[in-house]
Amino acid sequence: MHNAPGQVFLADCPTRLTVEIITEKWAVIVLFALSLKPQRPSELAELIGGISRKVLTQTLRRLQAYGLVERHAYAEAPPRVEYSLTELGGTLVEPIRALTDWARDNGEAIVNFQEKKQA
């Protein structure tokens, strides 16, 4: 069932909840990083850069709680944990790729606009 266009503005709308989840500051970046391959938290932190371990952990837990990411704990010594996209999380790869392409194509224009505005 699809929501009517105006429904997305209602506080209890599933569409609004979903948009809020994926527009959290680090969510799209973490999801995009996991679209490359399953990764350990240390690999994600190194790949992403600028994200603290605490915030990365919080982001992964939040995405896991909504069924977008899954955690795999391996019984090894030392213990190893990897995160990957769920099937549902995988459905976000194409929209995130499109958004990333747009950002890559237009990022410089946004920076230039900001610089002109501040000058």
Side-chain angles (χ1 to χ4, degrees), residues 72-83:
H72 305 278
Y74 297 92
E76 299 175 350
R80 178 171 60 106
V81 174
E82 279 186 344
Y83 288 88

Side-chain angles (χ1 to χ4, degrees), residues 25-38:
K25 181 176 181 178
W26 293 103
V28 169
I29 295 169
V30 169
L31 291 166
F32 191 61
L34 290 174
S35 75
L36 304 174
K37 65 177 183 148

Side-chain angles (χ1 to χ4, degrees), residues 4-117:
Q7 298 297 315
V8 74
F9 298 110
L10 299 177
D12 61 348
C13 176
T15 303
R16 180 171 163 179
L17 171 65
T18 304
V19 169
E20 288 174 0
I21 293 164
I22 62 173
T23 58
E24 183 270 333
K25 181 176 181 178
W26 293 103
V28 169
I29 295 169
V30 169
L31 291 166
F32 191 61
L34 290 174
S35 75
L36 304 174
K37 65 177 183 148
Q39 299 191 53
R40 299 174 71 164
S42 59
E43 294 171 319
L44 284 169
E46 186 177 321
L47 178 63
I48 294 170
I51 188 171
S52 71
R53 298 282 178 152
K54 178 183 176 185
V55 171
L56 177 59
T57 299
Q58 291 171 338
T59 301
L60 287 165
R61 286 182 182 161
R62 189 176 309 110
L63 294 172
Q64 185 180 359
Y66 287 108
L68 301 174
V69 167
E70 56 191 353
R71 181 182 186 271
H72 305 278
Y74 297 92
E76 299 175 350
R80 178 171 60 106
V81 174
E82 279 186 344
Y83 288 88
S84 62
L85 296 179
T86 62
E87 187 175 333
L88 180 60
T91 64
L92 285 166
V93 172
E94 283 306 312
I96 289 172
R97 186 169 289 126
L99 181 60
T100 302
D101 289 344
W102 182 89
R104 190 176 300 121
D105 294 344
N106 295 286
E108 192 172 322
I110 290 173
V111 169
N112 289 340
F113 180 83
Q114 287 295 304
E115 288 174 353
K116 286 179 190 176
K117 188 176 175 183

